[in-house]
Amino acid sequence: MIMKVLVINSGSSSIKYQLFDMPENKVLAKGIAERIGIRGSCLTHYPDQKPAYRNEEDITDHGVAISLIFAALIHPDHGVVRDVREIDAIGHRVVHGGEIFNQPVLVDSTVKENIRRLSGLAPLHNPANLLGIEACEQIIPGIRQAAVFDTAFHHTIPPQAFMYGIPYWYYEEYGIRKYGFHGTSHQYVARRAAEILGKQPAELKMISCHLGSGSSITAIQNGQSLDTSMGFTPLEGLVMGTRSGDLDPAIITFLMEKEKMSAAEINDLLNNRSGVLGISALSSDFRDLAKAAADGNDRARLAIDVFVHRVRKYIGAYAAELNGLDVLVFTAGLGENSPEIRAQICQGFDYLELWIDPEKNNIRGKEADISAQGSKPRILVIPTNEELMIASETLQVAGN
Ligand code: AMP
């Protein structure tokens, strides 16, 4: 039976959406409501087989955004359904599921209360996700909604990998541990990798590199997350566009003393003004950095080198944790689109007998096996598709 599943990714100031026919995986329409609650807001709607449509009405809050999205979906000219009740289920991306949610769930009042309780761990994300859920409920009362958590895929990480070396009491009191993020993306590419290679996930030791403006790496064994580079928050791990990733924690107290910085200022520094932007003092976008480096900008070169060094360090660590490697996957904006970065990352892994093919690597934004002949691990590029993953999880949860 075909179900129409709407996927909603509700952020603090934008809502992205896609309407699917499932299980055909067919996208009927997609779009984004941007600058919610900020001047200059707009909704851009891309229906399949019809021209795009832009609505520049004021979007004062998430409720208004969701009602404009439904209006676009049923619009006589730009719509793809006649009535919102043709939509069978809605799947929501929810960032933090804590230790409560280890799989997608059907939303009810208890689930909403738990998402609200977890807001302390994701103050920028979970409240916005909840606003999206509640706005949909208001417009289509009784609609089946699923919550699909960014953290859920990582619930299989064992305690020796998720505990930090601080007093145990902080874990008990505040839930301070590694949770990991980008789970939907890592899970999607892991499944696709197994399909592409015609193997069962249980047969493969994989490392998936989600490299975008936010980046993380996951070690995957038996199709399950064994370890991942993001931690208690999405700040840990790789050097990202504007986030620092791993650093000596003493730097924080040092800066607080020297620069008289508050906790909020440190948060802003490490999340918004660090990473490759901070090192290069130029841009968080790798396209700008590559161009500047080619023009002789040493700091842009350094920023790229630091980024690559950290990725390589994690790949080495995870190959050790997995005790071997069958598949290395590249995904997300940078992983899918930058042959240069992929080539730089894959240098010097002779001990893994991992070699990239320069010709095959010369692709962008499509699935490909880019490993050289003779390379033991396969190296795959797999464009991520979190929306499709959320739609298929929603189908599972709400279809029954
Ligand atoms: P994402 O967050 O997954 O959308 O990835 C966005 C990032 O991918 C951008 O900030 C760029 O750094 C990077 N990116 C996207 N396209 C390219 C490209 N053609 N070459 C290099 N980097 C790219």
Side-chain angles (χ1 to χ4, degrees):
M1 193 188 73
I2 291 183
M3 273 180 69
K4 291 198 186 336
V5 176
L6 178 65
V7 173
I8 297 276
N9 181 352
S10 175
S12 54
S13 68
S14 74
I15 300 182
K16 292 189 209 141
Y17 64 96
Q18 281 194 31
L19 182 64
F20 289 87
D21 256 348
M22 296 300 285
E24 265 72 30
N25 301 352
K26 181 173 163 40
V27 179
L28 301 175
K30 60 180 167 185
I32 181 167
E34 288 172 281
R35 300 179 64 84
I36 299 170
I38 308 170
R39 243 203 342 230
S41 47
C42 78
L43 173 98
T44 320
H45 176 71
Y46 303 93
D48 185 38
Q49 315 261 357
K50 291 181 182 179
Y53 156 74
R54 212 174 143 84
N55 181 341
E56 293 188 359
E57 256 174 74
D58 239 12
I59 308 180
T60 45
D61 58 34
H62 286 67
V64 174
I66 292 285
S67 54
L68 289 182
I69 290 169
F70 283 119
L73 289 170
I74 61 166
H75 192 281
D77 301 325
H78 317 286
V80 290
V81 289
R82 275 186 303 272
D83 192 295
V84 291
R85 276 163 298 193
E86 284 178 42
I87 297 168
D88 298 288
I90 303 177
H92 292 267
R93 174 185 181 221
V94 180
V95 166
H96 220 305
E99 288 190 323
I100 302 174
F101 298 107
N102 56 22
Q103 57 186 12
V105 289
L106 206 55
V107 173
D108 61 16
S109 55
T110 313
V111 168
K112 284 193 291 181
E113 187 46 40
N114 280 325
I115 294 174
R116 201 185 321 277
R117 276 183 35 212
L118 290 164
S119 291
L121 296 176
L124 297 179
H125 296 103
N126 274 30
N129 303 151
L130 204 50
L131 285 173
I133 291 172
E134 288 178 336
C136 289
E137 252 171 24
Q138 296 254 312
I139 294 174
I140 321 181
I143 181 88
R144 282 172 295 172
Q145 303 204 83
V148 181
F149 300 90
D150 252 20
T151 47
F153 180 57
H154 300 299
H155 83 276
T156 44
I157 294 176
Q160 68 270 25
F162 76 61
M163 285 303 294
Y164 291 108
I166 57 175
Y168 192 82
W169 183 81
Y170 293 114
Y171 167 59
E172 293 177 303
E173 183 65 16
Y174 301 117
I176 295 181
R177 52 158 283 180
K178 179 187 282 289
Y179 291 100
F181 299 87
H182 290 148
T184 309
S185 175
H186 289 294
Q187 187 175 14
Y188 174 80
V189 297
R191 274 194 202 173
R192 267 310 288 152
E195 282 168 14
I196 290 167
L197 299 172
K199 303 250 181 179
Q200 291 300 316
E203 297 174 75
L204 298 170
K205 294 175 178 178
M206 296 194 216
I207 296 177
S208 64
C209 306
H210 177 113
L211 310 178
S213 45
S215 297
S216 67
I217 300 201
T218 298
I220 299 164
Q221 185 167 269
N222 294 322
Q224 298 180 332
S225 176
L226 182 71
D227 203 350
T228 193
S229 59
M230 283 179 169
F232 177 58
T233 74
L235 185 56
E236 190 182 348
L238 301 177
V239 176
M240 306 179 213
T242 63
R243 288 175 239 166
S244 64
D246 299 338
L247 45 83
D248 181 342
I251 295 169
I252 295 170
T253 44
F254 181 90
L255 283 179
M256 288 176 104
E257 277 177 25
K258 288 279 176 198
E259 302 257 323
K260 309 278 176 275
M261 291 173 93
S262 66
E265 285 166 331
I266 290 285
N267 233 336
D268 176 54
L269 171 75
L270 299 180
N271 278 291
N272 305 322
R273 297 191 283 123
S274 296
V276 292
L277 169 70
I279 296 171
S280 68
L282 182 73
S283 175
S284 62
D285 193 303
F286 282 82
R287 286 163 288 199
D288 300 336
L289 296 176
K291 189 169 174 308
D295 291 343
N297 182 321
D298 289 342
R299 285 248 238 113
R301 180 78 262 156
L302 178 65
I304 295 172
D305 290 348
V306 171
F307 172 83
V308 168
H309 175 83
R310 185 76 56 86
V311 173
R312 289 175 39 71
K313 200 162 127 173
Y314 268 96
I315 292 174
Y318 287 170
E321 283 192 45
L322 288 162
N323 190 19
L325 180 64
D326 300 308
V327 193
L328 178 67
V329 183
F330 288 102
T331 193
L334 183 61
E336 293 164 22
N337 293 304
S338 177
E340 298 80 14
I341 292 284
R342 290 193 300 255
Q344 206 181 328
I345 290 170
C346 289
Q347 293 311 305
F349 282 125
D350 301 330
Y351 69 97
L352 291 174
E353 295 180 66
L354 179 144
W355 297 293
I356 194 166
D357 183 310
E359 294 294 315
K360 294 182 188 160
N361 182 35
N362 198 18
I363 52 106
R364 293 172 203 273
K366 59 179 185 196
E367 285 184 355
D369 184 333
I370 58 171
S371 30
Q373 213 174 8
S375 173
K376 243 162 93 185
R378 310 317 303 161
I379 311 172
L380 303 180
V381 176
I382 303 179
T384 193
N385 195 338
E386 287 159 284
E387 291 77 14
L388 177 59
M389 188 76 203
I390 293 172
S392 76
E393 298 280 29
T394 303
L395 185 68
Q396 290 266 319
V397 170
N400 299 324

